[in-house]
């Protein structure tokens, strides 16, 4: 199944952009009359037929569509400290998109080893994973934000902070009620600072644990993603 990401599709006739057209005709070597699938990132899954080709453009005609394809019964937002090795963050984005996630926010903390991320590169990783996994909903990548600024944001989500410090910490499954919105904070390799933890608790975040072992940042984030999706299955 050949899948293309077409967020701007609005009618039954559509022209792939130059990059996607080249991939369709030159790499996949598809021809007139062949069928492909399109996803718009908003829940639409389309089956389309190639009805026109030129050097730079491939024209399509939609022959069927499904709306709210794979719609989930909850909303998951993970704010994660970017890893020093950016490949590890990209790995998380890829796997989380495949498993199911709605929002990701790169979170700059006091102990963050990486302060700058190329959001356009991360967006491409997510889009590639969307196409590979046939996910009709494209996760939203939010702009990079500091921990202090995140604390100022209002949300109706169930808010959790996963940390490694001492103290009573229930498991995620003990905190959440199914079919809700959730925001989970995942800190850097050196963990959140005590001051950051205090700020989170004062702003309504609930401390949680992801197990008895100390996990890498991207592993912890993926574990949280899996657990929330499992509970809401």
């Amino acid at each position: 199944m050949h899948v293309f990401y077409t967020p701007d599709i609005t009618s039954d006739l559509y022209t792939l952009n130059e990059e996607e057209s080249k991939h369709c005709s030159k790499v996949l070597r598809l021809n007139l009359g062949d069928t492909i699938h399109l996803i718009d990132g908003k829940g639409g899954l389309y089956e389309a037929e190639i009805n026109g080709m030129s050097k730079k453009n491939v024209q399509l005609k939609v022959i069927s569509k499904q709306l709210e394809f794979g719609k989930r019964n909850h909303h998951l937002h993970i704010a994660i400290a970017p890893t020093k090795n950016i490949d590890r963050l990209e790995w998380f984005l890829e796997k989380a998109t495949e498993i199911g996630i709605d929002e990701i926010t790169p979170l700059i903390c006091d102990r963050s080893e990486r302060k700058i991320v190329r959001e356009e590169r991360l967006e491409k990783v997510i889009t590639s994973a969307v196409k590979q996994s046939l996910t009709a909903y494209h996760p939203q990548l939010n702009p990079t934000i500091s921990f202090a600024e995140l604390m100022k944001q209002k949300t109706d989500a169930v808010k959790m902070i996963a940390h490694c410090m001492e103290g009573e910490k229930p498991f995620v499954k003990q905190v959440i009620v199914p079919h809700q919105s959730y925001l989970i904070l995942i800190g850097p390799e050196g963990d959140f600072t005590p001051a950051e933890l205090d700020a989170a608790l004062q702003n309504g975040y609930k401390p949680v644990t992801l197990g008895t072992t100390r996990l890498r940042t991207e592993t912890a984030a993926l574990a949280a993603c899996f657990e929330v999706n499992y509970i809401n299955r």
Side-chain angles (χ1 to χ4, degrees):
M1 179 184 293
H2 302 300
V3 182
F4 294 81
Y5 178 51
T6 55
D8 56 343
I9 186 169
T10 57
S11 71
D12 289 342
L13 297 177
Y14 185 81
T15 301
L16 293 176
N17 62 35
E18 186 173 345
E19 181 180 354
E20 291 282 51
S21 292
K22 181 178 179 180
H23 182 70
C24 179
S25 61
K26 302 298 184 183
V27 179
L28 299 178
R29 298 186 179 278
L30 298 177
N31 298 299
L32 290 173
D34 287 341
T35 58
I36 63 175
H37 287 81
L38 315 174
I39 49 179
D40 62 10
K42 308 174 190 71
L45 172 64
Y46 306 77
E47 184 178 10
E49 180 180 276
I50 299 174
N51 67 351
M53 302 185 79
S54 65
K55 288 185 177 180
K56 292 186 177 182
N57 297 114
V58 171
Q59 293 83 42
L60 308 171
K61 181 179 181 180
V62 174
I63 55 181
S64 69
K65 62 182 177 181
Q66 298 181 60
L67 300 180
E68 297 187 346
F69 179 78
K71 185 176 182 179
R72 301 183 314 129
N73 58 16
H74 61 285
H75 185 97
L76 175 59
H77 177 189
I78 291 184
I80 176 174
T83 52
K84 183 177 181 180
N85 182 343
I86 199 64
D87 290 347
R88 288 164 46 199
L89 178 60
E90 292 177 2
W91 176 86
F92 162 70
L93 294 175
E94 178 182 85
K95 303 309 176 188
T97 300
E98 293 174 7
I99 292 173
I101 194 169
D102 301 283
E103 283 187 71
I104 307 103
T105 299
L107 181 64
I108 305 303
C109 305
D110 288 342
R111 293 173 177 165
S112 290
E113 296 180 287
R114 175 181 289 273
K115 305 287 187 179
I116 299 174
V117 296
R118 291 176 54 201
E119 292 163 9
E120 66 277 9
R121 167 61 187 168
L122 301 184
E123 191 76 37
K124 289 180 179 179
V125 171
I126 294 172
T127 299
S128 179
V130 162
K131 293 162 63 177
Q132 186 277 327
S133 59
L134 195 61
T135 302
Y137 290 91
H138 193 294
Q140 177 180 325
L141 178 66
N142 296 320
T144 302
I145 191 173
S146 69
F147 187 94
E149 286 299 315
L150 182 64
M151 289 299 103
K152 298 176 184 178
Q153 294 187 353
K154 303 299 182 182
T155 176
D156 293 327
V158 177
K159 300 183 292 186
M160 292 166 273
I161 180 170
H163 67 88
C164 300
M165 286 172 267
E166 296 295 328
E168 184 176 345
K169 294 175 290 183
F171 289 97
V172 172
K173 65 181 180 181
Q174 297 172 304
V175 171
I176 70 174
V177 176
H179 315 324
Q180 303 292 322
S181 293
Y182 317 102
L183 169 56
I184 304 178
L185 309 187
I186 304 294
E189 292 299 326
D191 203 4
F192 295 107
T193 63
E196 287 172 332
L197 176 59
D198 287 343
L201 298 181
Q202 290 173 15
N203 281 279
Y205 285 82
K206 300 177 181 180
V208 293
T209 179
L210 296 169
T212 57
T213 58
R214 194 178 185 91
L215 303 176
R216 284 183 178 272
T217 295
E218 73 279 10
T219 310
L222 193 63
C225 182
F226 177 82
E227 188 162 359
V228 169
N229 279 282
Y230 180 78
I231 293 170
N232 285 279
R233 68 192 186 285

